[in-house]
């Protein structure tokens, strides 16, 4: 199976690295506009083959989309990341044009591909890709919820002082500092509700830390994070290529689910070889429903700014 990753920067290259050493795909193509950059990243990753022991063929391309032909999955990470003090939403002006042109280019060579959108503001970039390409909703998937959920489990593991892999939890809603909804009510430690071990105050702190998880890392690193984002994309791509049918919160088109229409927002999804195979419409309580509606309002406002790009 072949995966193209457009944008060979921090997130794209990390994703290629994880896909290769975990043997998720037989072939990975990295593409970037910076001359020689994707080729260099691909060569560096390929030189890990004998030490980490993988057989994935990794190659790079400077803006030559013919090398991406026949991809089963295309990941879009091209665009600019935020700097400390910025929101993801401030990136829309530059990233919208980049994401739209990349989506057009990849489809010319891989008309059957499933597209995973990563560039920020991710929910709006996913909506843009869907509208600009006219592809069916199962083939356009925004990655944010997998990452936010992994951060949620990280913060829960710290609060509980227990291994992160013993914790279950999901973040739905928008992939934004104020639009994410960590579902603390449904999180569990090996099936036992975390509320049995943590006070409401501690749970509120976990939720707040999760929501600004990306901003915290951006403050520490000077640019946004890449290890967990790249690994989260690889996790999603694995479920698609290997038809794992994992339930992963992803940004997908809602058509009545969760009371929303004509918006891409994070909800639990079954992800398999067709891409989005099912939206799992879980019962939210009144407070969670109100948060989801508020999150949708914010993302819808952002989507309205796409008018000039979509004409
Ligand atoms: N959805 C998420 O969970 C998530 C997580 C992390 C980062 N992001 C977003 O992903 C994007 C990339 O982040 P990064 O840290 O890898 O940034 P980066 O600057 O390290 O890499 C971006 C790359 O895109 C390339 N690029 C720009 N325009 C291009 C074009 N038209 N065609 C091909 N390549 C192009 C650049 O040359 C650069 O190498 C940012 O928008 C960031 O906010 C999203
Ligand atoms: O925080 C960012 O701007 C990048 C990404 O969306 C993240 O959550 O790490």
């Amino acid at each position: 199976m072949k995966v193209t990753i457009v944008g060979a920067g921090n997130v794209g290259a990390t994703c290629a690295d994880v896909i290769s050493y975990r043997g998720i795909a037989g072939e990975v193509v990295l593409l970037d506009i910076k001359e020689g950059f994707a080729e260099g990243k691909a060569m560096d990753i390929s030189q890990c083959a004998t030490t980490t022991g993988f057989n994935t063929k990794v190659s790079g391309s400077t803006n030559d989309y013919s090398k991406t032909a026949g991809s089963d999955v295309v990941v879009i990470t091209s665009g600019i990341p935020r700097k400390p003090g910025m929101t993801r939403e401030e990136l829309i002006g530059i990233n919208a044009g980049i994401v739209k042109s990349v989506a057009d280019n990849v489809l010319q060579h891989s008309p059957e591909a499933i597209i995973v959108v990563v560039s920020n503001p991710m929910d709006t970039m996913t909506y843009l890709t869907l509208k600009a390409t006219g592809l069916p909703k199962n083939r356009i998937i925004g990655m944010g919820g997998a990452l936010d959920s992994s951060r949620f489990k990280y913060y829960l593991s710290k609060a509980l002082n227990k291994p992160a892999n013993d914790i279950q939890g999901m973040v739905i809603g928008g992939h934004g500092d104020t639009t994410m909804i960590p579902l603390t009510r449904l999180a569990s430690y090996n099936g036992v509700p975390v509320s049995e071990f943590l006070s409401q105050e501690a749970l509120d702190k976990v939720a707040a830390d999760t929501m600004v998880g990306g901003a915290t890392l951006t403050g520490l690193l000077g640019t946004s994070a890449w290890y967990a984002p790249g690994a989260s994309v690889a996790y999603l791509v694995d479920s698609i290529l290997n038809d794992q049918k994992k339930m992963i919160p992803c940004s997908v088109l809602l058509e009545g689910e969760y009371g929303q229409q004509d918006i891409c927002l994070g909800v639990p999804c079954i992800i398999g070889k067709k891409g989005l195979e099912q939206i799992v419409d879980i019962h939210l309580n009144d407070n969670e429903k109100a948060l989801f509606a508020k999150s949708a309002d914010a993302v819808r406002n952002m989507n309205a700014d796409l008018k000039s790009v979509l004409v």
Side-chain angles (χ1 to χ4, degrees), residues 11-26:
V11 177
T14 305
C15 177
D17 194 30
V18 176
I19 288 177
S20 306
Y21 78 65
R22 292 198 46 224
I24 291 169

Side-chain angles (χ1 to χ4, degrees), residues 9-11 32-34 77-80 95 118 120 143 147 175 229:
N10 285 335
V11 177
D32 204 284
I33 40 163
K34 256 190 260 171
T77 71
S78 46
I80 54 163
N95 286 355
V118 181
N120 274 316
M143 196 298 293
L147 171 64
H175 179 61

Side-chain angles (χ1 to χ4, degrees), residues 6-13 31-34 37 41 63 65 76-82 88 91 94-95 97-99 101-102 105 117-123 125 142-145 147-148 151 175 223-226 228-230 232-233:
V6 183
N10 285 335
V11 177
L31 182 144
D32 204 284
I33 40 163
K34 256 190 260 171
F37 192 60
K41 291 284 181 100
N63 227 22
Y65 281 83
I76 303 181
T77 71
S78 46
I80 54 163
R82 63 174 159 170
R88 297 176 181 86
L91 306 173
I94 295 181
N95 286 355
I98 294 175
V99 168
S101 72
V102 166
N105 284 329
V117 182
V118 181
S119 309
N120 274 316
M122 182 278 293
D123 299 287
M125 294 302 103
M143 196 298 293
L147 171 64
D148 300 332
R151 288 183 179 145
H175 179 61
T223 183
S224 58
W226 57 89
S232 301
V233 181

Side-chain angles (χ1 to χ4, degrees), residues 242-258:
N242 296 305
D243 198 24
Q244 291 169 333
K245 306 207 191 290
K246 284 200 171 114
M247 182 163 85
I248 304 174
C250 296
S251 187
V252 294
L253 179 71
L254 300 182
E255 294 173 296
E257 299 91 348
Y258 293 85

Side-chain angles (χ1 to χ4, degrees), residues 269-285:
C269 297
I270 304 299
I271 302 293
K273 66 172 186 287
K274 297 192 185 104
L276 166 67
E277 300 201 345
Q278 187 196 337
I279 293 174
V280 183
D281 212 345
I282 56 171
H283 295 290
L284 301 180
N285 66 24

